[in-house]
Amino acid sequence: MLNTSARLLRLLSLLQTRALWTGPELAERLDVSTRTIRTDVDRLRQLGYPVEAAPGLTGGYRLGAGGALPPLLLDDDEAVAVAIGLRTAANGGVEGIGETSIRALAKLEQVLPPRLRHRVSAMQSATLAVPATGPKVDADVMIAIAAAIRSEHRLRFDYASHDGRATSREVEPHRLVVMGRRWYLIAWDPDRDDWRTFRADRITPKIPGGPRFTPRELPEAEVTARLQRGVGTATWRYVARVLLHGPAAEIRAKLPLPVEIEELGPDRCLIRLGSDTPQMLTLYLGLLDVDFEVLDAPELSAALTALADRLHRAAGPPVRSDAPGNDQSSSGSRPEPS
């Protein structure tokens, strides 16, 4: 059994990992009685930690907000992960947290032991973060969404859809997911009785939030699959169906974002992908380096025509093979200068 000091540290660490713990759960984790848990909670309160107790069958203990931030208890791997995450966040897709991330990282590196500081420095010197492009999410929006997920309260917000329409929504938020330098919210929509995907940069939360809800089960693999389907269609302003003359596996490996691909044969497949602009779609398709046919997107067809004309002008007139300066011997080597 752990001694009292070690047990208090372990108890504090557990309270920082979840919103609410019951007394029996904590007792089982620490291999003590529920009476010992009550005593240890009182000790933490005497040390200044705001441990709150919620009565009733669904009650338990939670770490409340205090006048000062209590010290976090991190193991070696967690400390390195936080340091690297802060460095990444400084160049990420969330507006207004770059400078804050750098300040927090500086404070963390001051207290890291030498062995961990070396690991973090090695990672930072070996990597290069490219600043995010495109729409960024306001940090307050991310905090509001994350708070609703953690507290299990419905999220009310205004949403700007891909076609510019503004709607009011109330959902049961499940997860915030980042993909392709964009943040998405996966949530259960009671009005539509189904899961929905929302672009976080298009969400404007409303205060106050909605009532509490019981979270629904959704495996991580299903979260990923639903996001991939949503990214390809619902969250973008422009969507196109394109027939590609190439193997589905090869196309999937080249696409910058995962989308659903319908295999039509060994060298033909159908995709439905989207973007904020038709011009961005032309870039995605050009990078695939295969022949393709646009099936039902006039905006994309017009953007492709404009791009083809621009590239043709940039290339200039074709150079004749018999023009002066282009003579080559039959072996294909350039003539020696006189």
Side-chain angles (χ1 to χ4, degrees):
M1 181 181 297
L2 298 173
N3 61 41
T4 302
S5 298
R7 193 174 63 246
L8 287 177
L9 289 175
R10 176 62 177 154
L11 175 58
L12 182 58
S13 178
L14 289 173
L15 290 172
Q16 290 175 347
T17 61
R18 258 173 49 181
L20 186 69
W21 289 88
T22 66
E25 287 177 331
L26 292 172
E28 181 181 358
R29 287 294 189 97
L30 298 176
D31 193 24
V32 295
S33 66
T34 55
R35 181 178 179 181
T36 300
I37 293 297
R38 290 195 295 272
T39 302
D40 287 348
V41 165
D42 288 337
R43 289 194 178 104
L44 287 178
R45 289 168 176 163
Q46 292 171 7
L47 292 172
Y49 293 98
V51 182
E52 301 173 352
L57 294 176
T58 60
Y61 298 101
R62 59 173 171 260
L63 191 61
L69 183 69
L72 296 176
L73 302 176
L74 304 174
D75 60 29
D76 287 3
D77 290 339
E78 289 172 341
V80 172
V82 169
I84 295 174
L86 288 170
R87 174 65 66 179
T88 303
N91 295 280
V94 181
E95 186 72 40
I97 80 167
E99 182 181 348
T100 307
S101 299
I102 295 298
R103 291 202 311 268
L105 179 61
K107 292 179 180 179
L108 179 61
E109 288 183 336
Q110 279 184 332
V111 297
L112 284 177
R115 68 181 187 281
L116 299 185
R117 194 179 300 116
H118 174 73
R119 290 171 59 182
V120 174
S121 298
M123 176 63 72
Q124 292 176 355
S125 62
T127 59
L128 175 65
V130 178
T133 58
K136 290 189 176 183
V137 188
D138 188 273
D140 290 338
V141 172
M142 297 289 286
I143 292 172
I145 296 174
I149 294 173
R150 186 174 188 272
S151 65
E152 299 174 358
H153 280 78
R154 285 190 178 184
L155 181 68
R156 293 170 174 161
F157 58 94
D158 292 327
Y159 189 68
S161 62
H162 58 81
D163 57 2
R165 292 183 298 108
T167 58
S168 295
R169 312 296 285 267
E170 181 173 327
V171 302
E172 299 174 2
H174 182 74
R175 286 290 185 276
L176 273 168
V177 188
V178 61
M179 177 181 289
R181 293 187 177 271
R182 293 187 188 275
W183 286 92
Y184 301 89
L185 169 65
I186 304 294
W188 177 264
D189 190 330
D191 293 335
R192 293 155 179 80
D193 196 31
D194 197 5
W195 294 96
R196 287 292 187 266
T197 302
F198 302 94
R199 282 260 298 270
D201 60 281
R202 295 176 179 169
I203 291 176
T204 304
K206 293 181 177 180
I207 304 297
R212 294 199 65 170
F213 66 92
T214 301
R216 301 169 187 268
E217 292 292 332
L218 188 65
E220 290 187 6
E222 181 63 18
V223 171
T224 302
R226 288 182 177 276
L227 179 58
Q228 290 175 355
R229 291 194 293 268
V231 166
T233 55
T235 59
W236 299 106
R237 184 177 181 184
Y238 293 97
V239 179
R241 290 173 64 248
V242 181
L243 177 65
L244 299 166
H245 297 276
E250 179 182 321
I251 299 300
R252 185 177 291 108
K254 292 181 178 180
L255 283 170
L257 290 174
V259 298
E260 287 188 331
I261 299 179
E262 181 181 351
E263 189 170 355
L264 303 179
D267 294 310
R268 294 171 73 244
C269 59
L270 182 68
I271 65 171
R272 181 177 172 86
L273 78 165
S275 176
D276 280 335
T277 65
Q279 289 75 21
M280 190 174 293
L281 285 181
T282 65
L283 174 63
Y284 291 165
L285 292 170
L287 292 173
L288 298 179
D289 196 28
V290 296
D291 291 338
F292 60 88
E293 303 171 35
V294 179
L295 301 181
D296 58 359
E299 300 94 344
L300 175 58
S301 297
L304 286 168
T305 299
L307 178 60
D309 291 342
R310 188 174 300 113
L311 294 176
H312 183 72
R313 291 193 300 270
V319 179
R320 292 169 47 194
S321 59
D322 59 348
N326 284 311
D327 293 333
Q328 295 183 350
S329 64
S330 59
S331 61
S333 61
R334 296 177 59 88
E336 292 294 331
S338 57

